[in-house]
Amino acid sequence: MQPLLPIVRDEEKTTAWFGIRLGPSTFAIFDAFPDEAGREAHLKGKVAEALKAKAGELLARPPTIEKVDVLAEKLSP
């Protein structure tokens, strides 16, 4: 996940991005965007390209992408 961080930092509309471990061999990415255009730009951008290029060697099966809408939040200033 670390090699992806510099790419994400350059994405103007990716306001939050986390590479997370859910279990010993289960990982996820959680990211947030101000609008649908930002989300779509990210999903079609360099991070998606990098993950697709390495998917065969990094993942046991194709990844799933679940789009969610945040209904409430608390962000520190």
Short mmCIF file of all heavy atoms in Angstrom, two decimals:
data_model
loop_
_atom_site.label_atom_id
_atom_site.label_comp_id
_atom_site.label_asym_id
_atom_site.label_seq_id
_atom_site.Cartn_x
_atom_site.Cartn_y
_atom_site.Cartn_z
N MET A 1 0.81 -1.20 0.00
CA MET A 1 0.00 0.00 0.00
C MET A 1 0.86 1.27 0.00
O MET A 1 0.46 2.26 -0.54
CB MET A 1 -0.91 0.03 1.22
CG MET A 1 -1.96 -1.03 1.26
SD MET A 1 -3.27 -0.64 0.10
CE MET A 1 -4.27 -2.06 0.27
N GLN A 2 2.02 1.20 0.63
CA GLN A 2 2.86 2.39 0.71
C GLN A 2 3.20 2.99 -0.65
O GLN A 2 3.19 4.21 -0.80
CB GLN A 2 4.14 2.09 1.50
CG GLN A 2 3.92 1.97 2.98
CD GLN A 2 3.51 3.28 3.64
OE1 GLN A 2 3.54 4.35 3.05
NE2 GLN A 2 3.12 3.19 4.88
N PRO A 3 3.52 2.17 -1.67
CA PRO A 3 3.86 2.78 -2.97
C PRO A 3 2.70 3.56 -3.60
O PRO A 3 2.92 4.39 -4.46
CB PRO A 3 4.23 1.57 -3.84
CG PRO A 3 4.61 0.51 -2.88
CD PRO A 3 3.77 0.73 -1.67
N LEU A 4 1.47 3.29 -3.17
CA LEU A 4 0.32 3.99 -3.72
C LEU A 4 0.14 5.38 -3.10
O LEU A 4 -0.46 6.26 -3.71
CB LEU A 4 -0.95 3.17 -3.52
CG LEU A 4 -0.98 1.81 -4.21
CD1 LEU A 4 -2.26 1.07 -3.84
CD2 LEU A 4 -0.85 1.94 -5.70
N LEU A 5 0.63 5.56 -1.90
CA LEU A 5 0.40 6.81 -1.18
C LEU A 5 0.86 8.06 -1.94
O LEU A 5 0.10 9.03 -2.03
CB LEU A 5 1.04 6.75 0.20
CG LEU A 5 0.70 7.86 1.18
CD1 LEU A 5 -0.81 8.02 1.35
CD2 LEU A 5 1.36 7.59 2.52
N PRO A 6 2.05 8.08 -2.54
CA PRO A 6 2.45 9.28 -3.30
C PRO A 6 1.51 9.58 -4.47
O PRO A 6 1.26 10.74 -4.78
CB PRO A 6 3.85 8.95 -3.79
CG PRO A 6 4.35 7.90 -2.87
CD PRO A 6 3.14 7.11 -2.46
N ILE A 7 0.98 8.54 -5.09
CA ILE A 7 0.05 8.74 -6.21
C ILE A 7 -1.23 9.40 -5.69
O ILE A 7 -1.73 10.36 -6.26
CB ILE A 7 -0.29 7.40 -6.89
CG1 ILE A 7 0.97 6.77 -7.49
CG2 ILE A 7 -1.35 7.60 -7.97
CD1 ILE A 7 0.78 5.35 -7.98
N VAL A 8 -1.75 8.89 -4.58
CA VAL A 8 -2.99 9.42 -4.01
C VAL A 8 -2.81 10.86 -3.54
O VAL A 8 -3.73 11.67 -3.67
CB VAL A 8 -3.48 8.52 -2.86
CG1 VAL A 8 -4.68 9.12 -2.16
CG2 VAL A 8 -3.83 7.14 -3.37
N ARG A 9 -1.67 11.18 -3.01
CA ARG A 9 -1.42 12.55 -2.55
C ARG A 9 -1.55 13.57 -3.67
O ARG A 9 -1.86 14.73 -3.43
CB ARG A 9 -0.04 12.65 -1.90
CG ARG A 9 0.00 12.04 -0.54
CD ARG A 9 1.32 12.27 0.14
NE ARG A 9 1.29 11.75 1.50
CZ ARG A 9 2.31 11.16 2.09
NH1 ARG A 9 3.46 11.04 1.47
NH2 ARG A 9 2.18 10.70 3.32
N ASP A 10 -1.33 13.13 -4.90
CA ASP A 10 -1.45 14.03 -6.05
C ASP A 10 -2.88 14.15 -6.57
O ASP A 10 -3.14 14.95 -7.47
CB ASP A 10 -0.54 13.55 -7.19
CG ASP A 10 0.93 13.81 -6.89
OD1 ASP A 10 1.23 14.68 -6.05
OD2 ASP A 10 1.77 13.13 -7.51
N GLU A 11 -3.80 13.35 -6.04
CA GLU A 11 -5.20 13.42 -6.48
C GLU A 11 -5.93 14.54 -5.74
O GLU A 11 -6.16 14.44 -4.54
CB GLU A 11 -5.90 12.08 -6.24
CG GLU A 11 -5.35 10.97 -7.08
CD GLU A 11 -6.07 9.65 -6.85
OE1 GLU A 11 -6.86 9.53 -5.90
OE2 GLU A 11 -5.83 8.74 -7.65
N GLU A 12 -6.26 15.56 -6.45
CA GLU A 12 -6.86 16.76 -5.85
C GLU A 12 -8.16 16.46 -5.10
O GLU A 12 -8.41 17.03 -4.05
CB GLU A 12 -7.12 17.77 -6.97
CG GLU A 12 -7.71 19.07 -6.49
CD GLU A 12 -7.94 20.03 -7.65
OE1 GLU A 12 -7.15 20.03 -8.61
OE2 GLU A 12 -8.92 20.78 -7.58
N LYS A 13 -8.99 15.57 -5.64
CA LYS A 13 -10.30 15.35 -5.05
C LYS A 13 -10.38 14.12 -4.14
O LYS A 13 -11.45 13.77 -3.69
CB LYS A 13 -11.36 15.25 -6.14
CG LYS A 13 -11.64 16.60 -6.78
CD LYS A 13 -12.91 16.55 -7.57
CE LYS A 13 -13.38 17.95 -7.90
NZ LYS A 13 -14.74 17.94 -8.40
N THR A 14 -9.24 13.49 -3.86
CA THR A 14 -9.24 12.42 -2.86
C THR A 14 -8.92 13.08 -1.53
O THR A 14 -7.79 13.46 -1.28
CB THR A 14 -8.21 11.32 -3.21
OG1 THR A 14 -8.53 10.79 -4.49
CG2 THR A 14 -8.24 10.20 -2.18
N THR A 15 -9.95 13.24 -0.69
CA THR A 15 -9.76 13.99 0.55
C THR A 15 -9.30 13.12 1.71
O THR A 15 -8.74 13.62 2.67
CB THR A 15 -11.06 14.72 0.94
OG1 THR A 15 -12.11 13.76 1.05
CG2 THR A 15 -11.43 15.76 -0.10
N ALA A 16 -9.52 11.81 1.62
CA ALA A 16 -9.05 10.87 2.65
C ALA A 16 -8.78 9.54 1.96
O ALA A 16 -9.51 9.13 1.06
CB ALA A 16 -10.09 10.70 3.75
N TRP A 17 -7.72 8.87 2.38
CA TRP A 17 -7.36 7.58 1.80
C TRP A 17 -6.65 6.75 2.85
O TRP A 17 -5.71 7.24 3.50
CB TRP A 17 -6.44 7.80 0.60
CG TRP A 17 -6.12 6.57 -0.18
CD1 TRP A 17 -6.82 6.06 -1.24
CD2 TRP A 17 -5.00 5.69 0.00
NE1 TRP A 17 -6.21 4.93 -1.72
CE2 TRP A 17 -5.08 4.69 -0.97
CE3 TRP A 17 -3.93 5.67 0.89
CZ2 TRP A 17 -4.15 3.66 -1.07
CZ3 TRP A 17 -3.00 4.65 0.79
CH2 TRP A 17 -3.11 3.66 -0.19
N PHE A 18 -7.13 5.53 3.07
CA PHE A 18 -6.54 4.64 4.05
C PHE A 18 -6.35 3.26 3.44
O PHE A 18 -7.28 2.70 2.87
CB PHE A 18 -7.47 4.47 5.27
CG PHE A 18 -7.78 5.76 5.97
CD1 PHE A 18 -8.88 6.52 5.59
CD2 PHE A 18 -6.99 6.21 7.01
CE1 PHE A 18 -9.18 7.71 6.23
CE2 PHE A 18 -7.29 7.40 7.65
CZ PHE A 18 -8.38 8.15 7.26
N GLY A 19 -5.16 2.71 3.57
CA GLY A 19 -4.92 1.31 3.27
C GLY A 19 -5.03 0.57 4.59
O GLY A 19 -4.33 0.92 5.54
N ILE A 20 -5.93 -0.40 4.69
CA ILE A 20 -6.20 -1.04 5.98
C ILE A 20 -6.11 -2.56 5.89
O ILE A 20 -6.31 -3.15 4.84
CB ILE A 20 -7.59 -0.62 6.54
CG1 ILE A 20 -8.70 -0.95 5.55
CG2 ILE A 20 -7.61 0.87 6.86
CD1 ILE A 20 -10.09 -0.63 6.08
N ARG A 21 -5.79 -3.19 7.02
CA ARG A 21 -5.77 -4.64 7.15
C ARG A 21 -7.00 -5.06 7.95
O ARG A 21 -7.21 -4.59 9.06
CB ARG A 21 -4.51 -5.10 7.86
CG ARG A 21 -4.42 -6.61 8.01
CD ARG A 21 -3.25 -7.03 8.90
NE ARG A 21 -1.98 -6.50 8.48
CZ ARG A 21 -1.11 -7.15 7.70
NH1 ARG A 21 -1.39 -8.35 7.26
NH2 ARG A 21 0.02 -6.57 7.36
N LEU A 22 -7.80 -5.95 7.37
CA LEU A 22 -9.00 -6.45 8.04
C LEU A 22 -8.74 -7.78 8.73
O LEU A 22 -9.50 -8.19 9.60
CB LEU A 22 -10.14 -6.60 7.03
CG LEU A 22 -10.57 -5.32 6.32
CD1 LEU A 22 -11.55 -5.63 5.20
CD2 LEU A 22 -11.18 -4.35 7.30
N GLY A 23 -7.70 -8.46 8.34
CA GLY A 23 -7.35 -9.76 8.90
C GLY A 23 -5.97 -10.15 8.41
O GLY A 23 -5.30 -9.37 7.72
N PRO A 24 -5.50 -11.36 8.74
CA PRO A 24 -4.15 -11.77 8.37
C PRO A 24 -3.83 -11.66 6.87
O PRO A 24 -2.72 -11.32 6.50
CB PRO A 24 -4.07 -13.22 8.82
CG PRO A 24 -5.13 -13.37 9.85
CD PRO A 24 -6.21 -12.40 9.48
N SER A 25 -4.82 -11.92 6.03
CA SER A 25 -4.58 -11.85 4.59
C SER A 25 -5.69 -11.10 3.85
O SER A 25 -5.89 -11.29 2.66
CB SER A 25 -4.43 -13.26 4.02
OG SER A 25 -5.62 -14.00 4.22
N THR A 26 -6.40 -10.24 4.57
CA THR A 26 -7.49 -9.48 3.98
C THR A 26 -7.21 -8.00 4.16
O THR A 26 -6.99 -7.53 5.28
CB THR A 26 -8.84 -9.84 4.64
OG1 THR A 26 -9.03 -11.25 4.57
CG2 THR A 26 -9.99 -9.13 3.95
N PHE A 27 -7.21 -7.28 3.04
CA PHE A 27 -6.88 -5.86 3.05
C PHE A 27 -7.98 -5.07 2.36
O PHE A 27 -8.76 -5.62 1.58
CB PHE A 27 -5.55 -5.62 2.34
CG PHE A 27 -4.41 -6.37 2.97
CD1 PHE A 27 -4.13 -7.68 2.60
CD2 PHE A 27 -3.65 -5.77 3.94
CE1 PHE A 27 -3.09 -8.37 3.19
CE2 PHE A 27 -2.60 -6.46 4.54
CZ PHE A 27 -2.32 -7.76 4.16
N ALA A 28 -8.01 -3.78 2.62
CA ALA A 28 -9.00 -2.92 1.99
C ALA A 28 -8.43 -1.52 1.84
O ALA A 28 -7.43 -1.17 2.47
CB ALA A 28 -10.29 -2.87 2.81
N ILE A 29 -9.07 -0.76 1.01
CA ILE A 29 -8.78 0.66 0.88
C ILE A 29 -10.08 1.40 1.15
O ILE A 29 -11.13 1.05 0.61
CB ILE A 29 -8.26 1.01 -0.53
CG1 ILE A 29 -6.91 0.34 -0.77
CG2 ILE A 29 -8.15 2.53 -0.70
CD1 ILE A 29 -6.40 0.49 -2.19
N PHE A 30 -10.01 2.38 2.03
CA PHE A 30 -11.15 3.26 2.28
C PHE A 30 -10.72 4.64 1.84
O PHE A 30 -9.68 5.14 2.25
CB PHE A 30 -11.53 3.27 3.77
CG PHE A 30 -12.56 4.31 4.09
CD1 PHE A 30 -13.89 4.06 3.88
CD2 PHE A 30 -12.17 5.56 4.56
CE1 PHE A 30 -14.84 5.04 4.14
CE2 PHE A 30 -13.12 6.54 4.83
CZ PHE A 30 -14.45 6.27 4.62
N ASP A 31 -11.53 5.27 0.99
CA ASP A 31 -11.21 6.61 0.55
C ASP A 31 -12.47 7.46 0.50
O ASP A 31 -13.57 6.94 0.48
CB ASP A 31 -10.46 6.63 -0.79
CG ASP A 31 -10.92 5.55 -1.76
OD1 ASP A 31 -12.09 5.13 -1.70
OD2 ASP A 31 -10.11 5.13 -2.58
N ALA A 32 -12.26 8.77 0.52
CA ALA A 32 -13.40 9.70 0.54
C ALA A 32 -13.17 10.82 -0.46
O ALA A 32 -12.03 11.22 -0.72
CB ALA A 32 -13.57 10.28 1.94
N PHE A 33 -14.29 11.32 -0.99
CA PHE A 33 -14.26 12.34 -2.04
C PHE A 33 -15.36 13.36 -1.78
O PHE A 33 -16.40 13.02 -1.21
CB PHE A 33 -14.49 11.68 -3.41
CG PHE A 33 -13.66 10.43 -3.58
CD1 PHE A 33 -14.19 9.20 -3.27
CD2 PHE A 33 -12.36 10.52 -4.01
CE1 PHE A 33 -13.43 8.04 -3.40
CE2 PHE A 33 -11.59 9.38 -4.15
CZ PHE A 33 -12.13 8.14 -3.84
N PRO A 34 -15.18 14.60 -2.24
CA PRO A 34 -16.21 15.61 -2.01
C PRO A 34 -17.45 15.43 -2.89
O PRO A 34 -18.51 15.95 -2.58
CB PRO A 34 -15.50 16.92 -2.34
CG PRO A 34 -14.42 16.53 -3.31
CD PRO A 34 -14.01 15.15 -2.90
N ASP A 35 -17.28 14.68 -3.98
CA ASP A 35 -18.41 14.50 -4.90
C ASP A 35 -18.19 13.26 -5.78
O ASP A 35 -17.13 12.64 -5.74
CB ASP A 35 -18.61 15.75 -5.77
CG ASP A 35 -17.35 16.19 -6.50
OD1 ASP A 35 -16.49 15.34 -6.82
OD2 ASP A 35 -17.21 17.41 -6.74
N GLU A 36 -19.19 12.93 -6.55
CA GLU A 36 -19.12 11.75 -7.41
C GLU A 36 -18.04 11.90 -8.49
O GLU A 36 -17.38 10.92 -8.85
CB GLU A 36 -20.48 11.49 -8.06
CG GLU A 36 -20.56 10.19 -8.85
CD GLU A 36 -20.33 8.93 -8.02
OE1 GLU A 36 -20.61 8.93 -6.80
OE2 GLU A 36 -19.84 7.94 -8.59
N ALA A 37 -17.81 13.10 -8.97
CA ALA A 37 -16.77 13.32 -9.97
C ALA A 37 -15.39 12.97 -9.41
O ALA A 37 -14.56 12.37 -10.10
CB ALA A 37 -16.79 14.77 -10.46
N GLY A 38 -15.15 13.30 -8.15
CA GLY A 38 -13.89 12.96 -7.51
C GLY A 38 -13.73 11.46 -7.35
O GLY A 38 -12.64 10.91 -7.58
N ARG A 39 -14.80 10.80 -6.99
CA ARG A 39 -14.77 9.34 -6.84
C ARG A 39 -14.47 8.68 -8.18
O ARG A 39 -13.63 7.80 -8.28
CB ARG A 39 -16.10 8.83 -6.27
CG ARG A 39 -16.09 7.35 -6.06
CD ARG A 39 -17.32 6.72 -5.44
NE ARG A 39 -18.42 7.52 -5.07
CZ ARG A 39 -19.32 7.15 -4.15
NH1 ARG A 39 -19.19 6.01 -3.52
NH2 ARG A 39 -20.34 7.92 -3.86
N GLU A 40 -15.15 9.10 -9.22
CA GLU A 40 -14.94 8.52 -10.55
C GLU A 40 -13.53 8.79 -11.07
O GLU A 40 -12.92 7.92 -11.68
CB GLU A 40 -16.00 9.03 -11.53
CG GLU A 40 -17.37 8.43 -11.28
CD GLU A 40 -17.39 6.91 -11.33
OE1 GLU A 40 -16.81 6.32 -12.26
OE2 GLU A 40 -17.98 6.30 -10.41
N ALA A 41 -13.00 9.99 -10.82
CA ALA A 41 -11.65 10.31 -11.25
C ALA A 41 -10.64 9.37 -10.56
O ALA A 41 -9.70 8.87 -11.20
CB ALA A 41 -11.32 11.76 -10.94
N HIS A 42 -10.84 9.10 -9.29
CA HIS A 42 -9.96 8.20 -8.55
C HIS A 42 -10.06 6.78 -9.10
O HIS A 42 -9.04 6.12 -9.32
CB HIS A 42 -10.32 8.23 -7.07
CG HIS A 42 -9.56 7.23 -6.26
ND1 HIS A 42 -8.24 7.39 -5.93
CD2 HIS A 42 -9.95 6.05 -5.71
CE1 HIS A 42 -7.84 6.36 -5.21
NE2 HIS A 42 -8.85 5.53 -5.07
N LEU A 43 -11.28 6.31 -9.32
CA LEU A 43 -11.48 4.94 -9.79
C LEU A 43 -10.96 4.72 -11.21
O LEU A 43 -10.73 3.58 -11.61
CB LEU A 43 -12.96 4.56 -9.70
CG LEU A 43 -13.51 4.45 -8.28
CD1 LEU A 43 -15.01 4.20 -8.32
CD2 LEU A 43 -12.79 3.35 -7.50
N LYS A 44 -10.76 5.79 -11.95
CA LYS A 44 -10.23 5.68 -13.31
C LYS A 44 -8.79 6.18 -13.39
O LYS A 44 -8.23 6.27 -14.47
CB LYS A 44 -11.11 6.48 -14.27
CG LYS A 44 -12.50 5.91 -14.42
CD LYS A 44 -13.37 6.77 -15.31
CE LYS A 44 -14.77 6.18 -15.39
NZ LYS A 44 -15.70 7.03 -16.10
N GLY A 45 -8.19 6.49 -12.24
CA GLY A 45 -6.88 7.13 -12.22
C GLY A 45 -5.71 6.18 -12.05
O GLY A 45 -5.80 4.96 -12.28
N LYS A 46 -4.60 6.74 -11.63
CA LYS A 46 -3.32 6.03 -11.56
C LYS A 46 -3.30 4.93 -10.49
O LYS A 46 -2.64 3.91 -10.67
CB LYS A 46 -2.19 7.02 -11.31
CG LYS A 46 -1.92 7.93 -12.49
CD LYS A 46 -0.78 8.86 -12.20
CE LYS A 46 -0.55 9.78 -13.39
NZ LYS A 46 0.56 10.70 -13.15
N VAL A 47 -4.00 5.13 -9.37
CA VAL A 47 -4.04 4.09 -8.34
C VAL A 47 -4.74 2.85 -8.89
O VAL A 47 -4.25 1.73 -8.73
CB VAL A 47 -4.73 4.59 -7.05
CG1 VAL A 47 -5.00 3.45 -6.09
CG2 VAL A 47 -3.87 5.64 -6.37
N ALA A 48 -5.87 3.05 -9.54
CA ALA A 48 -6.60 1.92 -10.12
C ALA A 48 -5.74 1.22 -11.16
O ALA A 48 -5.68 -0.02 -11.20
CB ALA A 48 -7.90 2.41 -10.75
N GLU A 49 -5.03 1.97 -11.98
CA GLU A 49 -4.14 1.38 -12.99
C GLU A 49 -3.04 0.56 -12.33
O GLU A 49 -2.73 -0.55 -12.77
CB GLU A 49 -3.52 2.48 -13.85
CG GLU A 49 -4.47 3.15 -14.80
CD GLU A 49 -3.83 4.31 -15.55
OE1 GLU A 49 -2.57 4.43 -15.52
OE2 GLU A 49 -4.57 5.08 -16.17
N ALA A 50 -2.44 1.09 -11.27
CA ALA A 50 -1.37 0.39 -10.57
C ALA A 50 -1.87 -0.90 -9.94
O ALA A 50 -1.21 -1.94 -10.01
CB ALA A 50 -0.75 1.30 -9.51
N LEU A 51 -3.04 -0.84 -9.32
CA LEU A 51 -3.60 -2.05 -8.71
C LEU A 51 -3.97 -3.10 -9.76
O LEU A 51 -3.72 -4.29 -9.56
CB LEU A 51 -4.82 -1.70 -7.86
CG LEU A 51 -4.52 -1.00 -6.54
CD1 LEU A 51 -5.81 -0.56 -5.86
CD2 LEU A 51 -3.72 -1.92 -5.61
N LYS A 52 -4.53 -2.67 -10.86
CA LYS A 52 -4.88 -3.62 -11.92
C LYS A 52 -3.63 -4.29 -12.48
O LYS A 52 -3.63 -5.48 -12.77
CB LYS A 52 -5.64 -2.91 -13.04
CG LYS A 52 -7.06 -2.57 -12.69
CD LYS A 52 -7.73 -1.82 -13.84
CE LYS A 52 -9.05 -1.24 -13.41
NZ LYS A 52 -9.64 -0.39 -14.46
N ALA A 53 -2.56 -3.55 -12.62
CA ALA A 53 -1.31 -4.09 -13.17
C ALA A 53 -0.72 -5.16 -12.25
O ALA A 53 -0.07 -6.09 -12.73
CB ALA A 53 -0.31 -2.97 -13.40
N LYS A 54 -0.91 -5.03 -10.95
CA LYS A 54 -0.33 -5.96 -9.97
C LYS A 54 -1.34 -6.94 -9.40
O LYS A 54 -0.99 -7.79 -8.59
CB LYS A 54 0.29 -5.17 -8.82
CG LYS A 54 1.46 -4.32 -9.19
CD LYS A 54 2.68 -5.17 -9.30
CE LYS A 54 3.92 -4.31 -9.44
NZ LYS A 54 5.11 -5.11 -9.44
N ALA A 55 -2.60 -6.85 -9.79
CA ALA A 55 -3.66 -7.67 -9.19
C ALA A 55 -3.34 -9.15 -9.23
O ALA A 55 -3.55 -9.86 -8.24
CB ALA A 55 -4.99 -7.38 -9.86
N GLY A 56 -2.84 -9.65 -10.33
CA GLY A 56 -2.56 -11.07 -10.47
C GLY A 56 -1.56 -11.59 -9.46
O GLY A 56 -1.70 -12.71 -8.99
N GLU A 57 -0.58 -10.79 -9.11
CA GLU A 57 0.43 -11.25 -8.15
C GLU A 57 0.11 -10.86 -6.71
O GLU A 57 0.63 -11.48 -5.78
CB GLU A 57 1.82 -10.75 -8.55
CG GLU A 57 1.98 -9.24 -8.52
CD GLU A 57 3.32 -8.80 -9.05
OE1 GLU A 57 3.45 -8.68 -10.28
OE2 GLU A 57 4.25 -8.58 -8.24
N LEU A 58 -0.75 -9.86 -6.50
CA LEU A 58 -1.06 -9.41 -5.14
C LEU A 58 -2.35 -9.99 -4.57
O LEU A 58 -2.48 -10.12 -3.35
CB LEU A 58 -1.18 -7.88 -5.11
CG LEU A 58 0.08 -7.08 -5.42
CD1 LEU A 58 -0.24 -5.60 -5.44
CD2 LEU A 58 1.17 -7.38 -4.40
N LEU A 59 -3.30 -10.32 -5.43
CA LEU A 59 -4.63 -10.69 -4.95
C LEU A 59 -4.97 -12.14 -5.29
O LEU A 59 -4.66 -12.62 -6.38
CB LEU A 59 -5.68 -9.76 -5.56
CG LEU A 59 -5.43 -8.26 -5.38
CD1 LEU A 59 -6.45 -7.47 -6.18
CD2 LEU A 59 -5.45 -7.88 -3.92
N ALA A 60 -5.66 -12.80 -4.37
CA ALA A 60 -6.10 -14.18 -4.59
C ALA A 60 -7.30 -14.23 -5.53
O ALA A 60 -7.54 -15.23 -6.19
CB ALA A 60 -6.45 -14.84 -3.26
N ARG A 61 -8.06 -13.15 -5.57
CA ARG A 61 -9.23 -13.06 -6.46
C ARG A 61 -9.41 -11.59 -6.85
O ARG A 61 -8.87 -10.70 -6.20
CB ARG A 61 -10.47 -13.63 -5.82
CG ARG A 61 -10.90 -12.93 -4.56
CD ARG A 61 -12.16 -13.60 -3.97
NE ARG A 61 -12.58 -12.93 -2.79
CZ ARG A 61 -12.30 -13.33 -1.55
NH1 ARG A 61 -11.61 -14.42 -1.36
NH2 ARG A 61 -12.72 -12.64 -0.52
N PRO A 62 -10.19 -11.33 -7.88
CA PRO A 62 -10.40 -9.93 -8.29
C PRO A 62 -10.99 -9.10 -7.14
O PRO A 62 -11.80 -9.60 -6.36
CB PRO A 62 -11.39 -10.04 -9.44
CG PRO A 62 -11.22 -11.43 -9.96
CD PRO A 62 -10.87 -12.27 -8.76
N PRO A 63 -10.57 -7.84 -7.04
CA PRO A 63 -11.09 -6.99 -5.97
C PRO A 63 -12.55 -6.61 -6.19
O PRO A 63 -13.04 -6.62 -7.33
CB PRO A 63 -10.20 -5.75 -6.04
CG PRO A 63 -9.77 -5.70 -7.46
CD PRO A 63 -9.64 -7.13 -7.90
N THR A 64 -13.22 -6.29 -5.12
CA THR A 64 -14.57 -5.76 -5.22
C THR A 64 -14.52 -4.29 -4.80
O THR A 64 -13.77 -3.92 -3.91
CB THR A 64 -15.57 -6.51 -4.31
OG1 THR A 64 -15.13 -6.42 -2.96
CG2 THR A 64 -15.67 -7.97 -4.70
N ILE A 65 -15.31 -3.50 -5.47
CA ILE A 65 -15.41 -2.08 -5.13
C ILE A 65 -16.83 -1.83 -4.68
O ILE A 65 -17.79 -2.09 -5.42
CB ILE A 65 -15.06 -1.19 -6.33
CG1 ILE A 65 -13.60 -1.42 -6.73
CG2 ILE A 65 -15.31 0.29 -6.00
CD1 ILE A 65 -13.18 -0.68 -7.98
N GLU A 66 -16.97 -1.37 -3.45
CA GLU A 66 -18.28 -1.06 -2.91
C GLU A 66 -18.37 0.44 -2.67
O GLU A 66 -17.58 0.99 -1.92
CB GLU A 66 -18.50 -1.83 -1.61
CG GLU A 66 -18.49 -3.33 -1.83
CD GLU A 66 -18.77 -4.11 -0.57
OE1 GLU A 66 -19.48 -3.60 0.32
OE2 GLU A 66 -18.27 -5.25 -0.48
N LYS A 67 -19.29 1.07 -3.34
CA LYS A 67 -19.49 2.51 -3.16
C LYS A 67 -20.49 2.71 -2.03
O LYS A 67 -21.55 2.08 -2.01
CB LYS A 67 -20.03 3.14 -4.44
CG LYS A 67 -19.05 3.09 -5.59
CD LYS A 67 -19.65 3.74 -6.82
CE LYS A 67 -18.70 3.70 -7.98
NZ LYS A 67 -19.29 4.34 -9.18
N VAL A 68 -20.15 3.55 -1.10
CA VAL A 68 -21.03 3.86 0.02
C VAL A 68 -21.19 5.37 0.10
O VAL A 68 -20.35 6.13 -0.40
CB VAL A 68 -20.49 3.30 1.36
CG1 VAL A 68 -20.36 1.80 1.30
CG2 VAL A 68 -19.17 3.93 1.73
N ASP A 69 -22.23 5.80 0.74
CA ASP A 69 -22.45 7.22 1.00
C ASP A 69 -22.34 7.45 2.50
O ASP A 69 -22.94 6.71 3.30
CB ASP A 69 -23.84 7.66 0.51
CG ASP A 69 -23.96 7.59 -1.00
OD1 ASP A 69 -23.01 8.02 -1.68
OD2 ASP A 69 -24.99 7.10 -1.49
N VAL A 70 -21.57 8.43 2.90
CA VAL A 70 -21.41 8.77 4.31
C VAL A 70 -22.66 9.53 4.75
O VAL A 70 -23.02 10.55 4.16
CB VAL A 70 -20.14 9.61 4.55
CG1 VAL A 70 -20.06 10.07 6.00
CG2 VAL A 70 -18.91 8.82 4.15
N LEU A 71 -23.31 9.04 5.79
CA LEU A 71 -24.53 9.67 6.28
C LEU A 71 -24.26 10.62 7.44
O LEU A 71 -25.06 11.51 7.71
CB LEU A 71 -25.53 8.59 6.71
CG LEU A 71 -25.91 7.60 5.61
CD1 LEU A 71 -26.87 6.55 6.15
CD2 LEU A 71 -26.53 8.32 4.41
N ALA A 72 -23.15 10.41 8.14
CA ALA A 72 -22.77 11.29 9.24
C ALA A 72 -21.26 11.20 9.37
O ALA A 72 -20.65 10.20 9.01
CB ALA A 72 -23.45 10.88 10.54
N GLU A 73 -20.64 12.25 9.87
CA GLU A 73 -19.19 12.24 10.05
C GLU A 73 -18.78 13.22 11.12
O GLU A 73 -19.54 14.10 11.50
CB GLU A 73 -18.49 12.57 8.72
CG GLU A 73 -19.02 13.77 7.97
CD GLU A 73 -18.56 15.11 8.47
OE1 GLU A 73 -17.60 15.24 9.22
OE2 GLU A 73 -19.22 16.10 8.10
N LYS A 74 -17.57 13.00 11.62
CA LYS A 74 -16.94 13.92 12.53
C LYS A 74 -15.48 13.99 12.12
O LYS A 74 -14.77 12.99 12.14
CB LYS A 74 -17.06 13.42 13.98
CG LYS A 74 -16.54 14.42 15.01
CD LYS A 74 -15.15 14.09 15.40
CE LYS A 74 -14.64 15.05 16.48
NZ LYS A 74 -13.20 15.07 16.53
N LEU A 75 -15.04 15.11 11.64
CA LEU A 75 -13.66 15.31 11.22
C LEU A 75 -13.02 16.35 12.13
O LEU A 75 -13.62 17.37 12.46
CB LEU A 75 -13.60 15.79 9.77
CG LEU A 75 -14.18 14.83 8.74
CD1 LEU A 75 -14.25 15.51 7.37
CD2 LEU A 75 -13.35 13.56 8.65
N SER A 76 -11.79 16.10 12.52
CA SER A 76 -11.07 17.08 13.34
C SER A 76 -10.57 18.19 12.42
O SER A 76 -10.19 17.94 11.28
CB SER A 76 -9.90 16.42 14.04
OG SER A 76 -10.37 15.43 14.93
N PRO A 77 -10.54 19.43 12.94
CA PRO A 77 -10.05 20.54 12.11
C PRO A 77 -8.57 20.45 11.83
O PRO A 77 -7.83 19.79 12.42
CB PRO A 77 -10.36 21.77 12.96
CG PRO A 77 -10.70 21.30 14.31
CD PRO A 77 -10.97 19.83 14.23
#
